[in-house]
């Protein structure tokens, strides 16, 4: 029923570029009892009772209809690089969005290159395309694992860039009424590691396509200290390709690039967000640091707020790089990356999370917020 309802609604929302996606008529294959661990970068957690990989809008709709008709809870999976799957797994349907395609959109009157990218495309492959086409805007986001559709969810950011700076709109299936909506950049409510997709409207949308406005011939964005250090002494401004290589190199050094066989990257990247705190909280933290003979590193956050280094708080609470017990620990290369050293359970990992959160709170009066999604 729900599927028929959707099919009737879709034509009035199609854009020319997406017509081929909507007109496909494919019977989607729903699998049972599929292990989720191999589909995540943490490589832990239980199975999905039902699982489907959707390569088109039609398959997404069929999967949603399947879940609705059976009252199954639905979880949308991208590249699995920001999820912690529980040891019990997922009792309903896991829908992996695998819609591909990078399309050039006609309008270049604003001097930008407009691209519409399928949510299932690999993010780093898209960045590579943009850099090869000499288009600036996402070069500092090189090497972030996961799918294009996953990037707006937590407004991914790294090395001085955030994806919200280049996303022009997001096309999504609205599960509240079955309509396909084009959500403008402003409508996505982007903030630091936040959007409507992981806050006020969590679980409402399935992102099927993301549109970007890139700057052809634009300069590489070199503002972050690590990048400045990397290029220190260079006469010419680094190209986009050189910047991409530098970012990937720095990320590999920090265990923030997926490298086969490196246990330090069996993680979700940073497990904790950098706290954004008020002036009063900052004053309190500075006082606590002073009492311990330490200086608090800080940098200006949004307007009246201050962003604090979560890595510093973790390390100053006795959790150094390489810390761990049994199968879980902290990466040897990055204090914020909790890693599965092999054979860990989600429960092991969450015990370590609790230990870190509790000790940081006891010593610094701040509860660290976690970044990944608990499934
Ligand atoms: C080694 C490593 C380094 C990392 N470095 C960074 C970094 O520098 N900066 C940063 O911001 N993040 C970083 N991350 C985190 C992660 O890569 C990003 O958050 C990524 O964008 C997640 O995308 P994904 O496709 O893997 O999403 P998943 O992990 O599959 O899902 C994450 C969330 O997004 C939702 N979601 C995914 N796809 C869709 C969709 N199509 N529609 C609706 N909801 C969807 C899921 O339901 C879930 O809630 C890193 C992770 C790792 C493992």
């Amino acid at each position: 029923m729900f599927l028929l309802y959707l099919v009737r609604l879709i034509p009035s929302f199609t854009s020319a570029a997406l017509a081929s996606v909507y007109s496909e008529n494919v019977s989607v294959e729903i699998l049972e009892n599929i292990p989720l661990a191999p589909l995540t970068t943490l490589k832990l957690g239980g199975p999905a009772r039902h699982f489907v990989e959707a390569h088109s809008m039609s398959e997404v709709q069929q999967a949603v209809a399947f879940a609705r008709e059976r009252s199954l809870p639905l979880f949308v999976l991208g590249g699995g690089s920001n999820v912690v799957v529980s040891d019990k797994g997922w009792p309903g349907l896991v829908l992996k969005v695998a819609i591909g395609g990078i399309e050039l959109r006609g309008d270049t009157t604003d001097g930008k290159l407009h691209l519409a990218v399928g949510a299932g495309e690999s993010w780093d492959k898209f960045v590579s395309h943009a850099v090869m086409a000499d288009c600036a805007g996402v070069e500092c986001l090189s090497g972030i694992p996961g799918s294009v559709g996953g990037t707006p969810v937590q407004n991914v950011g790294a090395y001085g860039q955030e994806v919200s700076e280049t996303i022009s709109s997001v096309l999504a299936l609205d599960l509240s009424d079955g309509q396909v909506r084009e959500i403008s950049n402003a409508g996505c409510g982007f903030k630091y590691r936040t959007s409507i997709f992981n806050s006020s409207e969590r679980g409402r949308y399935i992102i099927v396509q993301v549109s970007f406005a890139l700057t052809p011939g634009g300069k590489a964005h070199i503002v972050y200290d690590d990048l400045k250090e990397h290029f220190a002494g260079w006469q010419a401004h680094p190209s986009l390709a050189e910047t991409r290589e530098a970012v990937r190199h720095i990320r590999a050094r920090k265990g923030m690039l997926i490298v086969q066989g490196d246990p330090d990257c069996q993680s979700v990247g940073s497990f904790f967000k950098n706290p954004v705190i008020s002036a009063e909280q900052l004053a309190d933290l500075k006082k606590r640091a002073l009492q311990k003979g330490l200086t608090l590193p800080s940098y200006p956050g949004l307007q009246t707020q201050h962003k604090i280094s979560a890595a510093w708080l973790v390390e100053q609470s006795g959790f150094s790089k390489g810390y761990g017990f049994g199968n879980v620990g902290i990466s040897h290369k990055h204090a914020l990356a909790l890693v599965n050293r092999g054979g860990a359970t989600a429960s092991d990992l969450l015990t370590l999370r609790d230990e870190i959160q509790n000790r940081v709170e006891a010593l610094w009066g701040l509860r660290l917020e976690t970044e990944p999604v608990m499934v």
Side-chain angles (χ1 to χ4, degrees):
M1 273 304 284
F2 184 67
L3 175 61
L4 285 175
Y5 168 65
L6 281 175
V7 170
R8 256 184 273 120
L9 275 169
I10 294 301
S12 56
F13 290 93
T14 53
S15 68
L18 282 167
S20 59
V21 173
Y22 295 138
S23 62
E24 281 173 36
N25 185 17
V26 192
S27 240
V28 73
E29 195 184 1
I30 311 275
L31 304 171
E32 274 183 51
N33 211 21
I34 296 298
L36 291 173
L39 302 176
T40 69
T41 50
L42 262 174
K43 308 279 180 231
L44 52 73
R49 182 171 160 211
H50 300 280
F51 177 85
V52 62
E53 194 170 280
H55 295 267
S56 67
M57 185 63 171
S58 161
E59 291 189 351
V60 169
Q61 293 159 10
Q62 290 176 55
V64 169
F66 176 90
R68 288 268 162 112
E69 280 159 12
R70 289 158 186 79
S71 302
L72 294 170
L74 178 70
F75 183 76
V76 181
L77 185 70
S81 63
N82 210 25
V83 290
V84 182
V85 177
S86 94
D87 294 321
K88 286 187 181 154
W90 183 253
L93 176 70
V94 170
L95 163 57
K96 182 172 163 70
V97 179
I99 299 173
I102 302 180
E103 292 168 10
L104 188 61
R105 284 273 167 94
D107 175 25
T108 50
T109 47
D110 56 358
K112 300 279 184 189
L113 185 85
H114 294 266
L115 294 171
V117 188
E121 281 292 346
S122 144
W123 170 255
D124 196 46
K125 181 179 144 199
F126 166 61
V127 174
S128 162
H129 276 288
V131 166
M132 279 194 301
D134 197 31
C135 286
V138 289
E139 63 282 357
C140 296
L141 304 177
S142 294
I144 296 180
S147 65
V148 165
T151 59
V153 175
Q154 72 152 358
N155 181 21
V156 300
Y159 301 97
Q161 261 174 357
E162 282 188 343
V163 75
S164 55
E165 292 159 26
T166 42
I167 287 181
S168 45
S169 65
V170 167
L171 196 76
L173 177 65
D174 186 341
L175 293 173
S176 72
D177 60 6
Q179 299 197 21
V180 177
R181 299 191 190 286
E182 183 137 23
I183 306 166
S184 67
N185 178 295
C188 292
F190 291 124
K191 289 190 203 127
Y192 169 66
R193 295 299 173 273
T194 308
S195 70
I196 59 164
F197 308 111
N198 70 354
S199 58
S200 57
E201 305 296 346
R202 181 192 289 266
R204 174 171 166 185
Y205 293 106
I206 300 179
I207 297 166
V208 292
Q209 192 182 62
V210 186
S211 291
F212 296 87
L214 303 176
T215 310
K219 273 177 123 187
H221 191 64
I222 313 290
V223 294
Y224 207 80
D225 282 352
D226 282 344
L227 282 175
K228 283 186 182 164
E229 274 166 34
H230 184 93
F231 291 118
W234 281 46
Q235 299 297 315
H237 193 81
S239 68
L240 297 176
E242 285 160 347
T243 305
R244 172 171 163 77
E245 269 324 293
V247 168
R248 287 178 59 89
H249 178 79
I250 297 165
R251 294 188 76 95
R253 208 175 63 213
K254 296 183 175 180
M256 285 288 151
L257 193 71
I258 301 290
V259 177
Q260 288 300 324
D262 180 357
D264 275 334
C265 61
Q266 214 150 271
S267 73
V268 287
S270 296
F271 205 91
F272 301 104
K273 294 181 190 180
N274 288 323
V276 178
I277 60 175
S278 65
E280 293 74 39
Q281 286 174 305
L282 182 66
D284 176 58
L285 264 185
K286 280 185 175 162
K287 207 168 95 190
R288 288 175 189 247
L290 205 65
Q291 283 163 359
K292 298 179 203 306
L294 299 167
T295 311
L296 186 74
S298 87
Y299 45 98
L302 306 167
Q303 291 171 356
T304 56
Q305 295 187 305
H306 300 266
K307 217 196 289 178
I308 300 299
S309 162
W312 187 87
L313 289 170
V314 168
E315 291 200 276
Q316 296 304 331
S317 304
F319 300 102
S320 50
K321 290 174 192 147
Y323 174 92
F325 46 85
N327 301 329
V328 290
I330 295 178
S331 157
H332 292 88
K333 304 185 183 99
H334 199 294
L336 288 187
L338 306 195
V339 293
N340 171 7
R341 292 189 176 149
T345 62
S347 157
D348 296 333
L349 191 88
L350 299 184
T351 302
L352 177 59
R353 172 204 63 183
D354 292 346
E355 195 193 343
I356 295 172
Q357 278 181 323
N358 291 342
R359 199 174 320 156
V360 168
E361 190 172 15
L363 290 173
W364 300 99
L366 277 181
R367 185 118 188 124
L368 289 177
E369 243 185 86
T370 55
E371 211 176 277
V373 175
M374 305 297 156
V375 185

